[in-house]
Amino acid sequence: MPLVNTTEMFKKAYDGGYAIGAFNVNNMEIVQGITEAAGELRAPLILQVSKGARAYANHTYLMKLVEAALIETDLPICLHLDHGDSFELCKSCIDGGFTSVMIDMSSKSLEENIAVTRQVVEYAHERGVVVEAELGTLAGIEDEVKVEAGEASYTRPEDVEEFVTRTGCDSLAIAIGTSHGAYKFKPGTKPQLRFDILEEVSRRLPGFPIVLHGSSSVPQEFVEKINKYGGNMPGAIGVPEEQLRHAASLSVCKINIDSDLRLAMTACIREHFATHPADFDPRQYLKPARAAIKAMVAHKIVDVLGCDGKA
Ligand code: G3H
Ligand code: 13P
Ligand code: ZN
């Protein structure tokens, strides 16, 4: 099956009350772990590549890894640019075979966000590629941009109709309290997403797919393992999975997960070195790390996203 864009995926997800997982990929083991889980569970999939991932792994290597996953799984897979920060980057990914791009001008003024998003949409749509845009800013680190917690701002529902109409974007990432990275909420506080904002956005955009970034749940078993084996991640707290499940049952059609993959992989490798100090063959520690990613993604597909069997 060739790469697909998200049009059909999102329509089915919206109507079916589930979401598609958008997992960040940086190397072969990550691609394999994610796609093996999705393949066995017959889950539609978005593999997303950040600017940093593309610089790290190289566009062609990533394309070929994803092409291999298509052959091995025969799943509907969308290849998406995560947090594109310019028209030129989006264009390069579209020209290079991606089927979806995000243009993230959320830190700019509304008018500038609309203008650049519109430009990307015109280029993308002529080539069958879909575009995700963002309104509102999440705290945390997005590629090279770090947004301090105090500067993050929730999406203003009163902006969304004008934004979607004037840009023609295909999906909209909104800020309702999620944030990037492993330190999402202050220790001792109760994480609570702003479902009132999500519901008001959806009331204004009926049938329109909404995206949640920063949706790792930061499983404490991984944080504890990292800390047990020489790491130092006190206060790493994520989004409660039941809130993500609830969002998936509403208008949220795409849920972005990267940090949880990193935590699963790192916890596994740290444990491996602590318990097998003489090992020096990368296969010995990357094999269990890949298995940990597969288990994590399977859990997300079944228990959080609800997209198993929907491919
Ligand atoms: O939202 C950011 C993603 O987790 C990608 O992170 O820019 O370090 O690849 P990265
Ligand atoms: P996390 O850091 O919560 O995994 O978010 C990933 C993300 O939003 C990628 O765009
Ligand atoms: Zn993001």
Side-chain angles (χ1 to χ4, degrees):
M1 184 181 290
L3 283 172
V4 297
N5 69 28
T6 53
T7 306
E8 195 68 15
M9 269 186 203
F10 284 170
K11 194 182 173 333
K12 288 187 187 161
Y14 197 103
D15 294 343
Y18 62 88
I20 314 292
F23 300 99
N24 287 70
V25 296
N26 293 278
N27 68 12
M28 183 183 77
E29 283 75 13
I30 297 175
V31 171
Q32 288 177 328
I34 297 166
T35 56
E36 281 175 22
E40 285 174 20
L41 291 163
R42 303 313 300 157
L45 190 59
I46 299 169
L47 295 176
Q48 55 187 11
V49 170
S50 69
K51 182 180 172 183
R54 201 160 167 263
Y56 169 77
N58 170 299
H59 181 94
T60 312
Y61 278 95
L62 289 168
M63 282 303 296
K64 296 298 169 190
L65 287 172
V66 173
E67 281 172 22
L70 286 168
I71 294 167
E72 290 295 320
T73 62
D74 198 31
L75 277 181
I77 298 178
C78 165
L79 179 57
H80 173 77
L81 168 66
D82 192 26
H83 294 287
D85 62 357
S86 65
F87 172 79
E88 289 70 27
L89 176 58
C90 292
K91 178 180 181 302
S92 170
C93 289
I94 294 166
D95 294 346
F98 282 39
T99 48
S100 173
V101 293
M102 175 188 195
I103 176 69
D104 181 0
M105 290 285 121
S106 59
S107 60
K108 304 284 195 276
S109 70
L110 181 64
E111 281 306 317
E112 193 177 343
N113 191 347
I114 289 173
V116 182
T117 302
R118 177 74 218 156
Q119 189 189 9
V120 173
V121 166
E122 279 168 9
Y123 191 81
H125 282 186
E126 279 171 15
R127 292 158 180 82
V129 173
V130 291
V131 179
E132 174 186 326
E134 180 169 329
L135 265 182
T137 46
L138 275 67
I141 298 169
E142 292 185 5
D143 233 318
E144 285 122 38
V145 183
K146 186 171 191 305
V147 181
E148 298 296 341
E151 290 162 24
S153 58
Y154 294 116
T155 303
R156 288 161 33 94
E158 54 272 39
D159 291 337
V160 299
E161 292 136 303
E162 181 191 357
F163 184 83
V164 168
T165 310
R166 286 179 59 196
T167 62
C169 67
D170 302 278
S171 61
L172 184 66
I174 62 169
I176 59 167
T178 62
S179 60
H180 290 102
Y183 303 90
K184 298 187 190 296
F185 299 96
K186 286 216 169 66
T189 58
K190 198 170 166 292
Q192 180 57 59
L193 300 185
R194 291 286 304 272
F195 284 103
D196 57 323
I197 297 178
L198 175 61
E199 278 165 19
E200 181 56 18
V201 167
S202 311
R203 195 186 64 74
R204 291 168 180 263
L205 297 175
F208 195 79
I210 301 300
V211 177
L212 283 190
H213 282 248
S215 296
S216 279
S217 53
V218 188
Q220 289 305 295
E221 60 186 285
F222 294 128
V223 176
E224 280 161 19
K225 204 173 267 186
I226 287 169
N227 290 341
K228 179 174 171 189
Y229 294 116
N232 184 19
M233 299 189 68
I237 296 170
V239 183
E241 288 189 335
E242 57 281 6
Q243 294 186 31
L244 295 169
R245 181 73 207 101
H246 183 53
S249 75
L250 303 172
S251 55
V252 170
C253 295
K254 173 174 179 273
I255 292 188
N256 285 14
I257 297 170
D258 187 3
S259 296
D260 282 355
L261 305 177
R262 298 178 182 196
L263 289 166
M265 200 164 195
T266 301
C268 197
I269 292 173
R270 275 192 180 275
E271 180 180 36
H272 186 87
F273 280 131
T275 52
H276 302 77
D279 266 359
F280 64 96
D281 178 346
R283 292 171 297 185
Q284 299 298 328
Y285 53 88
L286 290 177
K287 192 173 171 184
R290 179 174 62 191
I293 287 196
K294 180 176 176 182
M296 152 74 62
V297 170
H299 160 66
K300 297 287 180 187
I301 286 172
V302 173
D303 301 318
V304 180
L305 303 157
C307 60
D308 47 313
K310 310 292 187 190

